[in-house]
Structure formats: C-alpha cells, structure tokens
Amino acid sequence: MAIYYIDGEFVPAEKAVIPVDDLAILRGIGVFDLLRTYDGKPYFLDAHIDRLETSALKIGLSLPWSHDDIAGVVNQTLARNDIPEANIRIVVTGGSSTDFMNPSGSPRLLVLVSPVPRLPDHWYTRGVKIISWEVERPIPGAKSIDYISASLALKKAAAEGAIEALYIDRNGLALECTTSNIFAFIADKLVTPGRGILSGVTRKVVLQLAEGLFPIDVRDISRTELLAAEEVFITGTSKGLVPVIQVDEGIIADGRPGQRTLQLMAEMKRHTEKK
C-alpha cells in the first residue's frame, strides 16, 4: 500500500484524509503539480516545484514552505514507498475555513505517489486522435485543482475515440490540451503556442531538444492552421511525446506519425535514459 504525505504526516493511502472544512473541498481552491520518476529519481523536480509556487502565487495562496522543504517532503515520500517508477502529485490546498469562504488556517501540503501507468504502445507507433473543445482556462499559467472543464472535455473525447481534448479560445486559436501542450510542424518550422497556456515542463524539454534540429516559432496557431499542419504532436509529464494523426474529423497529413516527430521522440528517449 502506498504511503502519502498529508499535512505533516506520512500515512497509508487508505487513511489519508483532510478536514471537510478545507477550501479545496468547499470551493475548489488549491493548486497541484504532477511529475514522474525515471530510474526512481524525480524528473525535473525543481522545475515542477517552481511551477507549483507560481500557480499558488497566481491564485493568491501564500506557501509557508520553502522550495527545499517541498523537495525534501517529495524525496522522503518516495523513500517510504517501494515503487520502481512513480507518478508524484504535489497538492497545496486552500486550508480550513470557518466561514466556508475565506481561509482561516494555513494551506495544507499533500504528496501522493502511484505507479506510472503503462500507456498503449500504439499511441506512439500509430498516433492518436484528439478533439477540439471551446474553452479557456480562467487563470492561464495556474495549475489549479479545478478540473471540471477538463473532465467534461475528456469524457467527450473518450466518447469520440480520442485520448485528449484541445482547448480552443474565442478567437479560434489552439491553446493546449487538458493535460498536454500542443506542437505542430508548419511550413518546415516547429510551432507551439506561447500565451494563454500552462507551460509544461516536458514542453520546455522538447523545445530545448529541438534547438539546432529545426527552426522554432513560438506563436499563436489557429485551429484551421493546425488541421493543415504537416505533423502534430502533444507532450505531457505522464505521456511524454505522442504523435497526433487526427483532430476532430480532420486527418493530419497522411495519417501517420511524421519523421520529425519520430526524431524528437528518439531524442526524448535518449534524454530520459540519461536521468
């Protein structure tokens, strides 16, 4: 059974609880970040904690823990679990509230671990379908615990044989997916949106790996432009880099993962194997 860190204590997963007056429960106030291990070691832990701190700042949560405090808790939690490769979810809740609206106590820090799930091989060899979903994050750049829109979008995606939903804003621009960033090869350039998004850590790694390999253009992408792209792929912590061969009913190019996408997948594999 997994051991979690819950507000100052390490407890078995089945005994992990927080008070019902926590604003995470009452109002959906809280932030989180998700990372994984490679060879048992947290992948870009500092970058994920940085993003957690930024998310908290954006929604007005003051963290009583230092960066090193949070890193220490993550490593201690991992050490108490025998999981070869783990997903690590760091959660900061809004804390308890006597009036059920405003915080009256300190935020709570939670660290949950679970085995990294094995995703289908065909995602990477044959590519996947995603759908578009017209919605915008209320606070771009904040990884908040409010995932109602994402949950509805993923339910619709699953019903249409897709694995992800791409957020489209009021101007018809492709932003990001529910738990992924979007990339496309357009006119021989690697293009990815740069505003109105939650910038993923895996996204940053891909951009670093792509330097020197392809021209890079961080800019807006319209849904129409995306459908006409030469290649499309998504990136995320738990899924890595996944080729996209279909958006809604539109087939991308010849309906197969593109060579440049496969090249970046190979670069990613070499990169993670060094960790």
Side-chain angles (χ1 to χ4, degrees):
M1 178 183 298
I3 301 296
Y4 296 164
Y5 177 87
I6 307 294
D7 196 25
E9 297 184 32
F10 293 97
V11 299
E14 65 177 9
K15 296 183 178 180
V17 296
I18 61 173
V20 294
D21 65 356
D22 193 295
L23 288 169
I25 297 171
L26 297 171
R27 299 289 176 179
I29 296 175
V31 295
F32 79 100
D33 221 291
L34 176 71
L35 64 150
R36 60 158 294 172
T37 64
Y38 283 99
D39 293 328
K41 298 177 182 178
Y43 184 60
F44 282 100
L45 175 58
D46 286 336
H48 282 281
I49 295 175
D50 286 345
R51 189 170 66 173
L52 180 80
E53 293 171 332
T54 298
S55 294
L57 180 65
K58 284 182 177 290
I59 73 163
L61 272 182
S62 179
L63 304 186
W65 316 277
S66 70
H67 184 108
D68 289 344
D69 289 338
I70 298 173
V73 169
V74 169
N75 285 314
Q76 290 176 57
T77 306
L78 276 177
R80 290 169 182 263
N81 287 275
D82 184 19
I83 302 176
E85 297 295 359
N87 276 337
I88 306 162
R89 187 176 297 269
I90 311 171
V91 184
V92 176
T93 75
S96 292
S97 172
T98 54
D99 65 3
F100 302 157
M101 177 66 73
N102 300 296
S104 53
S106 297
R108 290 186 167 89
L109 176 63
L110 322 175
V111 178
L112 319 178
V113 295
S114 60
V116 173
R118 180 176 176 80
L119 299 175
D121 290 339
H122 65 80
W123 283 17
Y124 304 92
T125 57
R126 300 203 299 268
V128 300
K129 174 185 177 181
I130 64 175
I131 65 166
S132 58
W133 179 263
E134 294 186 7
V135 70
E136 299 174 40
R137 286 185 186 271
I139 308 176
K143 198 170 177 67
S144 69
I145 62 174
D146 177 7
Y147 261 55
I148 293 176
S149 292
S151 179
L152 292 172
L154 288 173
K155 184 176 181 179
K156 183 174 186 290
E160 297 184 22
I163 72 155
E164 255 287 22
L166 173 66
Y167 292 160
I168 305 292
D169 74 6
R170 69 195 72 182
N171 299 312
L173 298 178
L175 300 175
E176 59 189 327
C177 297
T178 64
T179 60
S180 317
N181 288 113
I182 190 89
F183 288 81
F185 281 100
I186 300 171
D188 293 323
K189 291 182 179 180
L190 179 62
V191 184
T192 188
R195 60 175 183 158
I197 67 167
L198 180 70
S199 180
V201 173
T202 305
R203 171 184 179 273
K204 293 178 181 178
V205 172
V206 168
L207 287 172
Q208 291 169 0
L209 294 174
E211 286 183 5
L213 296 176
F214 316 107
I216 297 171
D217 197 0
V218 179
R219 63 168 176 83
D220 295 340
I221 307 174
S222 70
R223 180 182 178 277
T224 301
E225 190 178 24
L226 186 72
L227 287 169
E230 298 149 15
E231 302 178 33
V232 176
F233 62 87
I234 55 176
T235 61
T237 293
S238 60
K239 61 180 68 70
L241 193 160
V242 183
V244 173
I245 60 168
Q246 184 174 349
V247 180
D248 296 321
E249 299 310 312
I251 302 300
I252 304 300
D254 64 359
R256 295 180 295 180
Q259 289 303 311
R260 289 165 294 186
T261 299
L262 295 174
Q263 183 180 352
L264 280 172
M265 289 172 65
E267 292 291 333
M268 276 287 293
K269 186 173 187 296
R270 283 191 286 270
H271 175 75
T272 55
E273 286 175 348
K274 293 178 183 177
K275 295 297 175 183

